[in-house]
Amino acid sequence: MIRTQGLTKRYGSVLAVDEVDLDVREGDIYGFLGANGSGKTTTVRMLLGLVLATSGDIELIGQPMPRAAAEVLPQVGALVEGPAAYGHLSGRANLALIDAAGRGGTRASRRRRIDTVLEQVGLDQVGRRPVRAYSMGMRQRLGLAAALLRTPRLLVLDEPTNGLDPQGIREMRDLLVELHRRGSTIFLSSHLLAEVEQLCTRVGVLDRGRLVLQDELADLRAPTGRTVVLTPDVDAAHALLDGRSVLHGDRLLVRGTDAAALNAELVRAGVRVAELGPERRSLEDVVLAVTDPDGVAHRGPSRVPARGEAA
Amino acid sequence: MTAVRRWCLVAVGVLLLVATPLAVNAWPAGDTEITARQLLDKVQAADDVAYSGYVEAVGGLSLPTTDEFGAVADLFGGASRLRVWWRSDESWRVDRLAASGETDLFHAGDATTTWDYERLTTTATLDALVFLPRTVELLPPRLARLVLTGVRPEEVSRLPAARIAGRTAPGLRLTPSAPQASITRVDLWADAESGLPLRVQVYGNGQGAAPVETSFVQVTLDQPAADVVAFEPPPGSQPRFGGVGSDSLLGHIPAAFESRALAGLPRVGGASPAHLFSRYGRGVTQLLVLALDYDVSEPLRDQLASAAGVVVDDLGSALAAGPLHLRLSPHRHYEPSWLLVGTVDDKTLRRAARTVYGADAAPAGMAS
Amino acid sequence: MILVELRKLVRRPRTWVTIGLLDALPTLVAILLAITDLGPRAGTGPPFLSAVLSDGTLFPLAALGIVLPLFLPVAVAVVAGEAVAGEAQGGTLRYLLVRPVGRTRLLMAKLVSVIAFVVLTVVVVAATGYVTGALLLGDQPLQTTLTTSVSGSALSATEVWQRTGLAMGYVMISMLGVAAVALFFSTLTDTPLSAALGALALLIASTLLLTLDAADALAPYLPTRYWLAFIDLFRDPILWRDVVRGALQQGAYVLVFLGAAWANFTTKDITS
């Protein structure tokens, strides 16, 4: 759905985006991660033809951008850096205006489509109130409603949960899952690891303009070959396992994937087991590892004290 | 298309748009073989050419602005936009355009009607009573006729042709030979086909720029329709009758000066009606003598007293505005004031003043 | 897209506030003239204002003459300066562009909407002028149906209507240059105010240069040079010279600045 090759954007002497090769497949919920200022928004804007690339190629839904923008973009719904609407008009009027502004989406079905999306985002009850009077969360929903108007094949969402309360974030997540289920591919840019971890099937990580990681979330989070044990009798367990385990905080990491055998062994020795299961790396660990090639920020025993707290 | 290429496209467009009018204006005029003498004859024979058009005139003369002479000062002191329809000397119309109105002269036979839009007035005047220059004198053909009166063939030479109002116009330079002259030269360009003067520039002594320039910017050499030059006073306008510039000038003429010649300049024309004024000179060298009523002379004297560049001496107040020199006699009880004005140098003007009203004035009529 | 822009224009309260303010000045002038019966001295004041005391049918023109030098161009500069920069400031520009609306098409739609604003304003000002002129001004007896032209000839009611229409059209055309310049500035910046001020600075410079004899060579290129030529439509016969030049000049301004706006906007990174 999205494919870029050597995508580069240079502002004067500053390299904002550097040789990025994105690959988003149909059916993905793609999490595009990166710290603030890593070039995420610039990349999103380039995908949508707002910012023109210095070099490199972009392909959206199989067509080159920005050359085929007129054909491609009607099939794309987008939320870029926060919502925007005309404050003096109602949400409904805003949707009608933006829908009428371009091709795709017939006039006859406009009313019905607006009703549908307003219901989808939970704004069907606000009536004729002008957008000026909306809360931040309501504006965010309205922005999403505008993105959904023409049931897009591809949704490009930049920080969609900004300004939403926990309830709103949850609703947004459910909505995205529902949309994905109905066949939309979703490209979600975010700096919130948890959000991406909960929602996405595929992850790309941008660090200072470079794409440092791009993989299936499931692969990234595959078991590491160790088993995590949580026990009140840490010392006893440590002694029992003798060299097979390392202590990591209050948790014990044990080599081997056979959790059942390990459990039996511990219980046999009278060690009480509170929790036990295969170790998986968190997305945070993965991201920190790739965005920090020196391993400076790595936690755990391998920490190098000399390099200190730099990261 | 890259940004650079787009901007280049725009730049080329701008260049074309700016350069086209410049190029059209700068297009050189093809010159003709005509000699100065032939051209002079041709211009002088073009008196009966009918035309209509649009004239722009610029005067650089700063004259005192009294009620009576304000119009004249305005005429020669600033820029004028004129529209003209000229059927013949007997039937014409000249509009002087202003930003918020216009002042028009409609001429029929020997009378002229002046229409002033902003005052909503119409003023009818007999031509014989008019001596102050009016807008019509600023038309290139009229000004040319004035300056070429009595010109001698040896005073003219050729100038390269110019393109004026889209027409080719060979140029003619007039260098007055009269020793009294304050006008150093007059350049004029006339239509190659008809001989109609299209542009006139009058240069005074000592000044580089043209103090008075008048030029057609648009001209048609067809007979204008009769109804364009006809005038019907609109309802609601105030009809008035005018005379010598204004009512008060017409009122009481206190005296008259008559002589066959003055300061070496011959008398022009016969006695003026009601002996209003007398005119002397030849071609561009002209001297006008008139007696002023107290009501007219005093405001003018006050104006001159406060005007810059005015010299006061035993022969009154003198002012020079470009080639135009002016002299007002000193105030004397029970005697008329004399105004001498002309395109002559101050020496000539003093000589004339001495003759007309000077302390040692010779009896009128005996001066030569 | 053009319809969308027009809808935005008429639904924005500011449009109507601006037009209302523009309308207030000539109406105030009409009321003052009606009360005091004092016209401006000849050669001063806006055109036609001395004539409306006797002939109220000319007041639409006087009203246009009152708003033309300053009020109307300011309003046009504000509206046109808002066109792109306002959308950028509000953030709606990026959503229009990903809708997608072609950038050239968006510019054209904005220009059309500014022109629509000008047309609307001129028509409203002239209509109000007609009403106030008919109600408050003119002490001519009713049977005189003839209006006096600037050249002193009589104009029939039909001719007055035609020429008033032409004059309104010319005033509209006169505003095209300002509109194009403000639109260009609007693509340069994300703040509508600076775009409007930029265009106004150009107008003020142009007005100033016109009073300067030394700048005569520049005069034909200055955007305000031919504005007052709408009076020429009430001379008899009509003096087309400046009207035609004014129209051509405004056309050239539109070409140049719309071209510049196009070159800038179509290759611009939208980071608002």
Side-chain angles (χ1 to χ4, degrees), chain A residues 17 36 57 61 64 70 94 96 99 134 205 217 225 267 272 275 282 299:
Chain A
V17 175
N36 289 328
D57 298 312
I61 315 186
N94 264 291
D99 194 57
Y134 280 22
V205 177
L217 185 68
V267 170
R272 293 170 294 171
E275 242 176 62
S282 74
R299 297 185 211 160

Side-chain angles (χ1 to χ4, degrees), chain C residues 72-131:
Chain C
L72 191 56
V74 167
V76 171
V78 168
V79 169
E82 241 247 359
V84 178
E87 302 269 7
Q89 196 182 42
T92 40
L93 180 60
R94 56 175 183 265
Y95 288 108
L96 280 176
L97 293 184
V98 302
R99 169 57 189 90
V101 179
R103 296 188 183 194
T104 312
R105 234 156 70 87
L106 181 64
L107 267 186
M108 291 314 295
K110 289 293 184 187
L111 183 72
V112 169
S113 122
V114 175
I115 291 172
F117 171 77
V118 174
V119 171
L120 195 65
T121 313
V122 168
V123 168
V124 170
V125 168
T128 323
Y130 179 76
V131 173

Side-chain angles (χ1 to χ4, degrees), chain B residues 225-295:
Chain B
D227 60 333
V228 179
V229 301
F231 185 69
E232 184 74 31
S237 69
Q238 306 161 15
R240 299 197 303 187
F241 289 95
V244 189
S246 77
D247 297 343
S248 59
L249 266 176
L250 182 67
H252 323 279
I253 302 303
F257 178 83
E258 298 287 342
S259 169
R260 299 253 286 291
L262 182 60
L265 296 167
R267 172 76 189 253
V268 181
S272 72
H275 302 283
L276 290 172
F277 55 88
S278 50
R279 201 147 72 91
Y280 304 86
R282 178 179 64 81
V284 294
T285 313
Q286 295 273 338
L287 174 59
L288 202 68
V289 179
L290 56 149
L292 297 181
D293 184 44
Y294 185 80
D295 294 344

Side-chain angles (χ1 to χ4, degrees), chain C residues 223-242:
Chain C
T224 59
R225 163 68 181 81
Y226 298 106
W227 276 9
L228 284 177
F230 79 98
I231 300 157
D232 293 354
L233 295 166
F234 280 79
R235 305 189 196 276
D236 200 26
I238 294 176
L239 176 59
W240 288 106
R241 182 185 163 81
D242 283 3

Side-chain angles (χ1 to χ4, degrees), chain B residues 102-236:
Chain B
E102 63 185 54
T103 310
D104 304 352
L105 302 178
F106 293 85
H107 185 91
D110 57 359
T112 307
T113 308
T114 308
W115 158 251
D116 186 336
Y117 177 69
E118 284 165 293
R119 293 182 181 81
L120 287 180
T121 54
T122 59
T123 311
T125 316
L126 276 176
D127 281 352
L129 298 178
V130 173
F131 74 95
L132 287 178
R134 300 173 299 181
T135 48
V136 61
E137 316 302 345
L138 271 182
L139 297 176
R142 290 282 286 202
L143 192 59
R145 195 191 294 184
L146 190 72
V147 299
L148 293 182
T149 313
V151 70
R152 293 176 185 151
E154 68 269 17
E155 288 178 315
V156 294
S157 53
R158 269 301 311 274
L159 287 173
R163 278 178 67 83
I164 299 164
R167 305 184 77 90
T168 303
L172 191 67
R173 171 164 291 175
L174 160 68
T175 318
S177 58
Q180 298 94 337
S182 66
I183 286 176
T184 51
R185 67 169 209 266
V186 177
D187 292 349
L188 69 86
W189 287 264
D191 180 34
E193 246 169 74
S194 62
L196 184 76
L198 298 178
R199 176 181 294 162
V200 180
Q201 294 170 340
V202 180
Y203 292 84
N205 41 6
Q207 280 158 339
V212 176
E213 160 161 10
T214 172
S215 177
F216 276 105
V217 287
Q218 200 174 302
V219 68
T220 316
L221 296 181
D222 293 331
Q223 172 101 337
D227 60 333
V228 179
V229 301
F231 185 69
E232 184 74 31

Side-chain angles (χ1 to χ4, degrees), chain B residues 3 6-7 10 14 17-18 21-22 54 81 83 85 93 95 97-102 104 106 115 117-120 217-218 231-232 234, chain C residues 42-43 45 47-48 50-51 54 58 148-152 184 221 231 235-239 241-242 252 256 259-260 262-264 266-267:
Chain B
R6 283 176 199 229
W7 279 109
V10 173
V14 173
L17 282 171
V18 173
L22 288 179
Y54 185 87
R81 296 185 296 141
R83 283 175 100 187
W85 292 266
R93 165 181 167 191
D95 296 359
L97 309 180
S100 55
E102 63 185 54
D104 304 352
F106 293 85
W115 158 251
Y117 177 69
E118 284 165 293
R119 293 182 181 81
L120 287 180
V217 287
Q218 200 174 302
F231 185 69
E232 184 74 31
Chain C
F48 297 111
S50 43
S54 55
L58 286 174
T148 304
S149 77
V150 175
S151 302
F184 167 56
Y221 297 98
I231 300 157
R235 305 189 196 276
D236 200 26
I238 294 176
L239 176 59
R241 182 185 163 81
D242 283 3
V256 167
W262 166 79
N264 178 51
T266 50
T267 54

